[in-house]
């Protein structure tokens, strides 16, 4: 039987030289790959108590929404600035060059809700850290972070030390 890792395509030098891009399109365009990825992520957090899943645009939606559907939990959106129509709060964070901002609706969940953050991949952890700050600004408790892919060489896990992080596939020294 194929492993989730077998479905991930690596594209060297994208979007810039030296980056090994871990492409999840080849996971989700295969019915077995998609099911295996979602089921594996759900199994990883089966012991976790949470009230709601939050996922970031756009690959966080791809994994977060089916997980929420499967667990019969609500799913809330974290989007780039200016995309959400209601009242929002925002969090800025640094990118390699410059900075960016992500937002959530202020009524995404009740204060004190336990939130599971889902994304496709954790690299440096900068995006995940910003999502954690956003959820906490809104009064949520981060129950954990679940990603399909972890790149341990970039030390994202250390950046969010103290928070539970579950990943399915790891690319280390590759
Ligand atoms: P980071 O903030 O460094 O943890 O990067 C987070 C986001 O950047 C992930 O959600 C990915 O969508 C994207 N990303 C970063 N590095 C890679 C990579 N090597 N392959 C594919 N996506 C990546």
């Amino acid at each position: 039987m194929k492993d989730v890792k077998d479905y991930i395509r690596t594209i060297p030098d994208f979007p810039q030289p030296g980056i090994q891009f871990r492409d999840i399109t080849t996971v989700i365009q295969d019915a077995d790959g998609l099911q295996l990825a979602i089921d594996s992520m759900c199994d990883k957090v089966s012991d976790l108590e949470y009230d709601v899943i939050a996922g970031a645009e756009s690959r966080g939606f791809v994994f977060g929404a089916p997980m929420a559907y499967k667990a019969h939990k609500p799913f809330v959106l974290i989007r780039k600035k200016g995309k959400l129509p209601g009242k929002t709060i925002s969090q800025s964070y640094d990118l390699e060059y410059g900075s960016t901002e992500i937002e959530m609706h202020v009524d995404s969940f009740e204060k004190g809700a336990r939130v599971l953050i889902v994304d496709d991949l954790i690299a440096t952890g900068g995006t995940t850290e910003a999502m954690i700050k956003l959820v906490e600004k809104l009064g949520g408790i981060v129950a954990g972070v679940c990603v399909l892919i972890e790149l341990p060489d970039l030390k994202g896990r250390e950046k969010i030390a103290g928070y539970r992080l579950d990943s399915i596939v790891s690319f280390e020294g590759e």
Side-chain angles (χ1 to χ4, degrees):
M1 209 185 106
K2 276 172 90 171
D3 208 88
V4 181
K5 199 169 187 172
D6 301 328
Y7 291 96
I8 299 166
R9 169 170 61 187
T10 296
I11 300 185
D13 302 320
F14 182 87
Q16 56 195 60
I19 306 283
Q20 296 276 82
F21 193 86
R22 309 302 178 178
D23 179 21
I24 55 93
T25 64
T26 43
V27 178
I28 62 174
Q29 73 193 23
D30 185 292
D32 292 332
L34 177 59
Q35 211 161 52
L36 185 61
I38 301 300
D39 288 348
S40 304
M41 291 171 86
C42 286
D43 288 350
K44 270 273 177 188
V45 295
S46 60
D47 65 314
L48 195 68
E49 282 186 29
Y50 61 93
D51 304 304
V52 52
I53 294 183
E57 183 174 0
S58 56
R59 280 170 276 169
F61 297 172
V62 171
F63 298 100
M67 285 178 73
Y69 178 84
K70 215 177 153 172
H72 192 235
K73 303 281 186 191
F75 180 69
V76 298
L77 308 186
I78 298 175
R79 296 206 66 180
K80 297 191 178 101
K81 191 180 170 61
K83 300 279 189 184
L84 289 168
K87 188 168 182 227
T88 57
I89 57 154
S90 68
Q91 176 67 46
S92 61
Y93 64 102
D94 292 333
L95 296 172
E96 204 175 341
Y97 303 104
S99 68
T100 192
E101 224 168 314
I102 51 173
E103 294 185 332
M104 280 182 103
H105 276 144
V106 293
D107 62 357
S108 293
F109 49 77
E110 299 287 324
K111 209 168 176 218
R114 291 180 58 81
V115 182
L116 171 62
I117 293 172
V118 170
D119 208 352
D120 64 327
L121 181 147
I122 185 166
T124 65
T127 310
T128 311
E129 187 186 41
M131 291 194 278
I132 290 172
K133 284 185 182 161
L134 196 55
V135 165
E136 291 182 342
K137 256 189 198 173
L138 254 189
I141 296 159
V142 176
V145 176
C146 183
V147 297
L148 187 70
I149 305 167
E150 179 176 1
L151 306 180
D153 301 339
L154 296 172
K155 304 198 186 315
R157 187 176 281 276
E158 289 166 33
K159 187 159 222 155
I160 60 157
Y163 294 91
R164 170 169 160 168
L165 170 66
D166 290 295
S167 63
I168 307 303
V169 176
S170 178
F171 288 92
E172 198 162 12
E174 289 175 50

